[in-house]
Amino acid sequence: MEKLIITCALSGAEVTKEHNPSVPYTALEMAESAHQAYLAGASIIHLHARWDDGTPTQDAGRFWEIMEAIKAKCPEVIIQVSTGGAVGMSRDERLGPVTLNPEMATLDCGTLNFGGDEIFVNTENDIKYFAQALESRGIYKELECFEKGHVDTVLRLAKRGFINPPYHFSFVLGVNGGMTGEERDFLFLKDSIPAEATFSVAGIGRFEFPLAELAIIHGGHVRVGLEDNIYLEKGVLTPSNAALVAKVVELAKKHHREIATPDDARRILKMEKKK
Ligand code: KMH
Ligand code: ZN
């Protein structure tokens, strides 16, 4: 089986220091957290930006500041910017960090309820617009799917040439409004994508580690981090992103999967290394 790619989602846009004081906001906190996660075994950093008070932003200048701080500490790590941003942001606002030509970015592949009154909007035209923005710049896409309809949307748009290979899916499971993260959900999604595609799984909350283990067993890859889950175990807040990554490394050892370096990840995902 291929080496395991671990992505660390440092902060997301929704979770705050009130939920867990380890959530990074400043460029320095982001860089420290990314570096520790990298040392623990992460090869990809999934990045949202915050202002110093924790407000989420897709401001290109702020992303630049954070990305430079991360690169100064771990130049080899793959930075995957979020184009999801926070609920309610406009298309062009969300594309802010793409203007920096990062190595990798997310492409959210469908709309879903996001708890309470929130709706995370990704219409078909949005998806085409984002895909074009990423592909025209040679930015590697991670196809974020929160339920099976999103996977079907990718396959349909791929057939019509709006989304092009390589196809690397991220199944984000357990969002209130999306698909849950039971084993049957995971197996259904995994068996719905083309044989040549790769996939990673991000389990929200209590789904994080059970899904990580399933992905490890079935040849997939794993995302963990404070964006998705603030607990190391039931009732115990994680002290850091690195501790979540380290727990995945332990699971990988149990199942004899080696951990991918960033260059391994570039090879496995068929990424063309950007200068
Ligand atoms: N913050 C969520 C509304 C992504 O990073 O591309 C969207 C999100 C997805 O986190
Ligand atoms: Zn995200």
Side-chain angles (χ1 to χ4, degrees):
M1 218 178 261
E2 261 302 358
K3 291 181 182 178
L4 178 72
I5 302 169
I6 304 176
T7 298
C8 186
L10 298 183
S11 71
E14 290 82 20
V15 72
T16 68
K17 284 188 191 291
E18 282 71 49
H19 298 115
N20 184 321
S22 305
V23 175
Y25 292 168
T26 67
L28 192 64
E29 287 171 348
M30 293 275 184
E32 287 287 349
S33 199
H35 188 218
Q36 293 305 319
Y38 165 71
L39 293 176
S43 46
I44 302 178
I45 298 298
H46 171 76
L47 190 65
H48 288 253
R50 304 288 187 97
W51 296 114
D52 285 353
D53 67 359
T55 308
T57 176
Q58 292 293 99
D59 181 80
R62 182 62 168 185
F63 264 89
W64 184 84
E65 191 188 344
I66 296 169
M67 287 163 70
E68 289 300 306
I70 293 174
K71 284 184 213 159
K73 284 193 180 287
C74 34
E76 51 283 88
V77 81
I78 299 167
I79 299 180
Q80 174 195 88
V81 303
S82 169
T83 64
V87 167
M89 289 178 172
S90 71
R91 270 187 197 177
D92 288 324
E93 187 178 5
R94 283 167 54 179
L95 283 172
V98 164
T99 61
L100 302 171
N101 279 331
E103 191 171 8
M104 193 174 188
T106 55
L107 172 61
D108 292 283
C109 299
T111 294
L112 74 156
N113 282 336
F114 222 72
D117 289 325
E118 308 272 40
I119 304 175
F120 182 35
V121 177
N122 296 285
T123 65
E124 183 161 316
N125 285 345
D126 289 337
I127 299 165
K128 291 179 186 171
Y129 187 79
F130 279 81
Q132 156 71 13
L134 300 182
E135 290 186 1
S136 63
R137 290 177 167 86
I139 300 170
Y140 191 94
K141 311 175 297 296
E142 181 168 280
L143 305 162
E144 288 215 4
C145 295
F146 297 77
E147 47 107 326
K148 172 65 160 52
H150 297 180
V151 174
D152 295 335
T153 299
V154 171
L155 301 180
R156 191 163 43 80
L157 293 181
K159 243 190 213 155
R160 293 164 54 199
F162 292 109
I163 299 181
N164 294 289
Y167 301 118
H168 176 56
F169 289 83
S170 172
F171 304 137
V172 184
L173 302 181
V175 172
N176 290 333
M179 200 160 167
T180 59
E182 304 294 343
E183 183 171 3
R184 63 166 191 268
D185 304 312
F186 164 79
L187 294 173
F188 184 36
L189 294 181
K190 168 186 89 62
D191 291 339
S192 302
I193 61 173
E196 69 278 12
T198 50
F199 71 92
S200 180
V201 175
I204 304 301
R206 69 181 175 86
F207 293 113
E208 184 161 83
F209 293 109
L211 279 174
E213 190 157 14
L214 280 168
I216 290 167
I217 293 167
H218 289 274
H221 304 283
V222 173
R223 177 177 113 178
V224 290
L226 284 156
E227 171 167 351
D228 301 333
N229 169 43
I230 57 173
Y231 295 104
L232 196 53
E233 55 189 80
K234 197 168 191 254
V236 180
L237 288 177
T238 185
S240 62
N241 275 305
L244 299 170
V245 173
K247 196 162 162 175
V248 177
V249 171
E250 283 310 307
L251 287 171
K253 267 191 202 139
K254 180 175 149 194
H255 295 287
H256 312 291
R257 286 263 321 255
E258 281 181 62
I259 305 301
T261 64
D263 274 343
D264 290 328
R266 290 181 178 98
R267 174 185 54 77
I268 295 165
L269 298 181
K270 302 187 176 63
M271 294 174 72
E272 285 168 24
K273 193 167 181 179
K274 280 197 158 206
K275 295 277 167 281

